[in-house]
PDB file of all heavy atoms in Angstrom:
ATOM      1  N   GLN A 128      14.360 -41.296 -11.439  1.00  0.00           N
ATOM      2  CA  GLN A 128      15.015 -40.092 -11.971  1.00  0.00           C
ATOM      3  C   GLN A 128      15.034 -40.057 -13.491  1.00  0.00           C
ATOM      4  O   GLN A 128      15.470 -39.067 -14.081  1.00  0.00           O
ATOM      5  CB  GLN A 128      16.454 -40.012 -11.436  1.00  0.00           C
ATOM      6  CG  GLN A 128      16.532 -39.700  -9.954  1.00  0.00           C
ATOM      7  CD  GLN A 128      17.964 -39.591  -9.465  1.00  0.00           C
ATOM      8  OE1 GLN A 128      18.920 -40.000 -10.149  1.00  0.00           O
ATOM      9  NE2 GLN A 128      18.148 -39.041  -8.277  1.00  0.00           N
ATOM     10  N   GLY A 129      14.578 -41.124 -14.109  1.00  0.00           N
ATOM     11  CA  GLY A 129      14.562 -41.167 -15.569  1.00  0.00           C
ATOM     12  C   GLY A 129      15.895 -41.557 -16.171  1.00  0.00           C
ATOM     13  O   GLY A 129      16.070 -41.483 -17.393  1.00  0.00           O
ATOM     14  N   LYS A 130      16.827 -42.030 -15.333  1.00  0.00           N
ATOM     15  CA  LYS A 130      18.130 -42.492 -15.837  1.00  0.00           C
ATOM     16  C   LYS A 130      17.986 -43.969 -16.183  1.00  0.00           C
ATOM     17  O   LYS A 130      18.455 -44.866 -15.458  1.00  0.00           O
ATOM     18  CB  LYS A 130      19.206 -42.251 -14.787  1.00  0.00           C
ATOM     19  CG  LYS A 130      19.408 -40.773 -14.470  1.00  0.00           C
ATOM     20  CD  LYS A 130      20.433 -40.547 -13.373  1.00  0.00           C
ATOM     21  CE  LYS A 130      20.606 -39.061 -13.089  1.00  0.00           C
ATOM     22  NZ  LYS A 130      21.581 -38.799 -11.998  1.00  0.00           N
ATOM     23  N   LEU A 131      17.333 -44.205 -17.299  1.00  0.00           N
ATOM     24  CA  LEU A 131      16.895 -45.550 -17.640  1.00  0.00           C
ATOM     25  C   LEU A 131      18.053 -46.493 -17.955  1.00  0.00           C
ATOM     26  O   LEU A 131      18.030 -47.666 -17.558  1.00  0.00           O
ATOM     27  CB  LEU A 131      15.917 -45.492 -18.820  1.00  0.00           C
ATOM     28  CG  LEU A 131      14.665 -44.625 -18.585  1.00  0.00           C
ATOM     29  CD1 LEU A 131      13.768 -44.638 -19.821  1.00  0.00           C
ATOM     30  CD2 LEU A 131      13.891 -45.114 -17.371  1.00  0.00           C
ATOM     31  N   ASP A 132      19.062 -46.015 -18.669  1.00  0.00           N
ATOM     32  CA  ASP A 132      20.210 -46.873 -19.013  1.00  0.00           C
ATOM     33  C   ASP A 132      20.938 -47.318 -17.756  1.00  0.00           C
ATOM     34  O   ASP A 132      21.302 -48.502 -17.614  1.00  0.00           O
ATOM     35  CB  ASP A 132      21.164 -46.136 -19.945  1.00  0.00           C
ATOM     36  CG  ASP A 132      20.551 -45.894 -21.319  1.00  0.00           C
ATOM     37  OD1 ASP A 132      19.642 -46.668 -21.701  1.00  0.00           O
ATOM     38  OD2 ASP A 132      20.969 -44.937 -21.998  1.00  0.00           O
ATOM     39  N   GLU A 133      21.168 -46.395 -16.834  1.00  0.00           N
ATOM     40  CA  GLU A 133      21.866 -46.732 -15.590  1.00  0.00           C
ATOM     41  C   GLU A 133      21.035 -47.676 -14.736  1.00  0.00           C
ATOM     42  O   GLU A 133      21.563 -48.598 -14.098  1.00  0.00           O
ATOM     43  CB  GLU A 133      22.185 -45.462 -14.801  1.00  0.00           C
ATOM     44  CG  GLU A 133      23.169 -44.534 -15.491  1.00  0.00           C
ATOM     45  CD  GLU A 133      23.378 -43.236 -14.709  1.00  0.00           C
ATOM     46  OE1 GLU A 133      23.576 -43.317 -13.486  1.00  0.00           O
ATOM     47  OE2 GLU A 133      23.323 -42.158 -15.337  1.00  0.00           O
ATOM     48  N   ALA A 134      19.708 -47.443 -14.711  1.00  0.00           N
ATOM     49  CA  ALA A 134      18.819 -48.312 -13.930  1.00  0.00           C
ATOM     50  C   ALA A 134      18.841 -49.732 -14.489  1.00  0.00           C
ATOM     51  O   ALA A 134      18.946 -50.713 -13.732  1.00  0.00           O
ATOM     52  CB  ALA A 134      17.400 -47.751 -13.963  1.00  0.00           C
ATOM     53  N   GLU A 135      18.777 -49.853 -15.819  1.00  0.00           N
ATOM     54  CA  GLU A 135      18.802 -51.176 -16.447  1.00  0.00           C
ATOM     55  C   GLU A 135      20.100 -51.904 -16.133  1.00  0.00           C
ATOM     56  O   GLU A 135      20.107 -53.120 -15.904  1.00  0.00           O
ATOM     57  CB  GLU A 135      18.615 -51.035 -17.956  1.00  0.00           C
ATOM     58  CG  GLU A 135      17.185 -50.701 -18.364  1.00  0.00           C
ATOM     59  CD  GLU A 135      17.010 -50.624 -19.876  1.00  0.00           C
ATOM     60  OE1 GLU A 135      17.995 -50.889 -20.600  1.00  0.00           O
ATOM     61  OE2 GLU A 135      15.897 -50.303 -20.322  1.00  0.00           O
ATOM     62  N   ASP A 136      21.203 -51.162 -16.108  1.00  0.00           N
ATOM     63  CA  ASP A 136      22.497 -51.764 -15.805  1.00  0.00           C
ATOM     64  C   ASP A 136      22.499 -52.371 -14.400  1.00  0.00           C
ATOM     65  O   ASP A 136      23.007 -53.480 -14.195  1.00  0.00           O
ATOM     66  CB  ASP A 136      23.594 -50.701 -15.917  1.00  0.00           C
ATOM     67  CG  ASP A 136      24.979 -51.291 -15.711  1.00  0.00           C
ATOM     68  OD1 ASP A 136      25.368 -52.181 -16.493  1.00  0.00           O
ATOM     69  OD2 ASP A 136      25.667 -50.871 -14.742  1.00  0.00           O
ATOM     70  N   ASP A 137      21.891 -51.640 -13.433  1.00  0.00           N
ATOM     71  CA  ASP A 137      21.820 -52.164 -12.067  1.00  0.00           C
ATOM     72  C   ASP A 137      20.948 -53.414 -11.996  1.00  0.00           C
ATOM     73  O   ASP A 137      21.299 -54.406 -11.342  1.00  0.00           O
ATOM     74  CB  ASP A 137      21.270 -51.103 -11.114  1.00  0.00           C
ATOM     75  CG  ASP A 137      22.377 -50.256 -10.495  1.00  0.00           C
ATOM     76  OD1 ASP A 137      23.547 -50.675 -10.542  1.00  0.00           O
ATOM     77  OD2 ASP A 137      22.068 -49.172  -9.955  1.00  0.00           O
ATOM     78  N   PHE A 138      19.792 -53.390 -12.668  1.00  0.00           N
ATOM     79  CA  PHE A 138      18.885 -54.536 -12.615  1.00  0.00           C
ATOM     80  C   PHE A 138      19.526 -55.770 -13.261  1.00  0.00           C
ATOM     81  O   PHE A 138      19.364 -56.904 -12.775  1.00  0.00           O
ATOM     82  CB  PHE A 138      17.559 -54.204 -13.295  1.00  0.00           C
ATOM     83  CG  PHE A 138      16.783 -53.100 -12.614  1.00  0.00           C
ATOM     84  CD1 PHE A 138      16.157 -52.102 -13.348  1.00  0.00           C
ATOM     85  CD2 PHE A 138      16.679 -53.053 -11.224  1.00  0.00           C
ATOM     86  CE1 PHE A 138      15.444 -51.086 -12.722  1.00  0.00           C
ATOM     87  CE2 PHE A 138      15.968 -52.051 -10.591  1.00  0.00           C
ATOM     88  CZ  PHE A 138      15.355 -51.058 -11.348  1.00  0.00           C
ATOM     89  N   LYS A 139      20.260 -55.586 -14.349  1.00  0.00           N
ATOM     90  CA  LYS A 139      20.931 -56.706 -15.022  1.00  0.00           C
ATOM     91  C   LYS A 139      22.023 -57.309 -14.142  1.00  0.00           C
ATOM     92  O   LYS A 139      22.195 -58.535 -14.082  1.00  0.00           O
ATOM     93  CB  LYS A 139      21.519 -56.233 -16.348  1.00  0.00           C
ATOM     94  CG  LYS A 139      20.457 -55.987 -17.424  1.00  0.00           C
ATOM     95  CD  LYS A 139      21.067 -55.420 -18.702  1.00  0.00           C
ATOM     96  CE  LYS A 139      19.990 -55.143 -19.756  1.00  0.00           C
ATOM     97  NZ  LYS A 139      20.571 -54.523 -20.979  1.00  0.00           N
ATOM     98  N   LYS A 140      22.735 -56.432 -13.431  1.00  0.00           N
ATOM     99  CA  LYS A 140      23.806 -56.931 -12.551  1.00  0.00           C
ATOM    100  C   LYS A 140      23.237 -57.661 -11.342  1.00  0.00           C
ATOM    101  O   LYS A 140      23.864 -58.576 -10.810  1.00  0.00           O
ATOM    102  CB  LYS A 140      24.689 -55.763 -12.109  1.00  0.00           C
ATOM    103  CG  LYS A 140      25.619 -55.299 -13.227  1.00  0.00           C
ATOM    104  CD  LYS A 140      26.506 -54.160 -12.785  1.00  0.00           C
ATOM    105  CE  LYS A 140      27.443 -53.759 -13.925  1.00  0.00           C
ATOM    106  NZ  LYS A 140      28.292 -52.588 -13.569  1.00  0.00           N
ATOM    107  N   VAL A 141      22.058 -57.249 -10.898  1.00  0.00           N
ATOM    108  CA  VAL A 141      21.395 -57.986  -9.811  1.00  0.00           C
ATOM    109  C   VAL A 141      21.117 -59.416 -10.263  1.00  0.00           C
ATOM    110  O   VAL A 141      21.342 -60.376  -9.510  1.00  0.00           O
ATOM    111  CB  VAL A 141      20.075 -57.279  -9.397  1.00  0.00           C
ATOM    112  CG1 VAL A 141      19.236 -58.195  -8.504  1.00  0.00           C
ATOM    113  CG2 VAL A 141      20.371 -55.986  -8.673  1.00  0.00           C
ATOM    114  N   LEU A 142      20.628 -59.556 -11.504  1.00  0.00           N
ATOM    115  CA  LEU A 142      20.293 -60.882 -12.020  1.00  0.00           C
ATOM    116  C   LEU A 142      21.527 -61.774 -12.186  1.00  0.00           C
ATOM    117  O   LEU A 142      21.431 -63.007 -12.143  1.00  0.00           O
ATOM    118  CB  LEU A 142      19.573 -60.754 -13.372  1.00  0.00           C
ATOM    119  CG  LEU A 142      18.188 -60.093 -13.330  1.00  0.00           C
ATOM    120  CD1 LEU A 142      17.640 -59.876 -14.734  1.00  0.00           C
ATOM    121  CD2 LEU A 142      17.213 -60.959 -12.516  1.00  0.00           C
ATOM    122  N   LYS A 143      22.697 -61.141 -12.333  1.00  0.00           N
ATOM    123  CA  LYS A 143      23.939 -61.903 -12.531  1.00  0.00           C
ATOM    124  C   LYS A 143      24.657 -62.208 -11.210  1.00  0.00           C
ATOM    125  O   LYS A 143      25.698 -62.867 -11.216  1.00  0.00           O
ATOM    126  CB  LYS A 143      24.891 -61.117 -13.441  1.00  0.00           C
ATOM    127  CG  LYS A 143      24.389 -60.981 -14.874  1.00  0.00           C
ATOM    128  CD  LYS A 143      25.364 -60.138 -15.699  1.00  0.00           C
ATOM    129  CE  LYS A 143      24.863 -59.959 -17.130  1.00  0.00           C
ATOM    130  NZ  LYS A 143      25.782 -59.101 -17.936  1.00  0.00           N
ATOM    131  N   SER A 144      24.139 -61.713 -10.095  1.00  0.00           N
ATOM    132  CA  SER A 144      24.893 -61.819  -8.826  1.00  0.00           C
ATOM    133  C   SER A 144      24.248 -62.774  -7.822  1.00  0.00           C
ATOM    134  O   SER A 144      24.264 -62.518  -6.623  1.00  0.00           O
ATOM    135  CB  SER A 144      25.025 -60.432  -8.201  1.00  0.00           C
ATOM    136  OG  SER A 144      23.726 -59.903  -7.929  1.00  0.00           O
ATOM    137  N   ASN A 145      23.673 -63.857  -8.321  1.00  0.00           N
ATOM    138  CA  ASN A 145      23.079 -64.861  -7.451  1.00  0.00           C
ATOM    139  C   ASN A 145      22.064 -64.249  -6.480  1.00  0.00           C
ATOM    140  O   ASN A 145      22.218 -64.358  -5.256  1.00  0.00           O
ATOM    141  CB  ASN A 145      24.184 -65.596  -6.659  1.00  0.00           C
ATOM    142  CG  ASN A 145      23.642 -66.844  -5.997  1.00  0.00           C
ATOM    143  OD1 ASN A 145      22.671 -67.447  -6.485  1.00  0.00           O
ATOM    144  ND2 ASN A 145      24.248 -67.228  -4.883  1.00  0.00           N
ATOM    145  N   PRO A 146      21.020 -63.578  -6.993  1.00  0.00           N
ATOM    146  CA  PRO A 146      20.036 -62.912  -6.130  1.00  0.00           C
ATOM    147  C   PRO A 146      19.092 -63.913  -5.482  1.00  0.00           C
ATOM    148  O   PRO A 146      19.003 -65.072  -5.913  1.00  0.00           O
ATOM    149  CB  PRO A 146      19.272 -62.012  -7.099  1.00  0.00           C
ATOM    150  CG  PRO A 146      19.300 -62.778  -8.389  1.00  0.00           C
ATOM    151  CD  PRO A 146      20.644 -63.447  -8.423  1.00  0.00           C
ATOM    152  N   SER A 147      18.382 -63.440  -4.478  1.00  0.00           N
ATOM    153  CA  SER A 147      17.330 -64.261  -3.876  1.00  0.00           C
ATOM    154  C   SER A 147      16.167 -64.336  -4.865  1.00  0.00           C
ATOM    155  O   SER A 147      16.124 -63.613  -5.859  1.00  0.00           O
ATOM    156  CB  SER A 147      16.855 -63.635  -2.561  1.00  0.00           C
ATOM    157  OG  SER A 147      16.177 -62.404  -2.831  1.00  0.00           O
TER     158      SER A 147
END
Side-chain angles (χ1 to χ4, degrees):
Q128 290 182 346
K130 297 177 180 179
L131 302 180
D132 292 335
E133 295 176 47
E135 286 182 3
D136 184 60
D137 269 343
F138 296 137
K139 287 176 182 177
K140 285 181 178 177
V141 167
L142 294 174
K143 293 178 181 178
S144 61
N145 193 28
S147 68

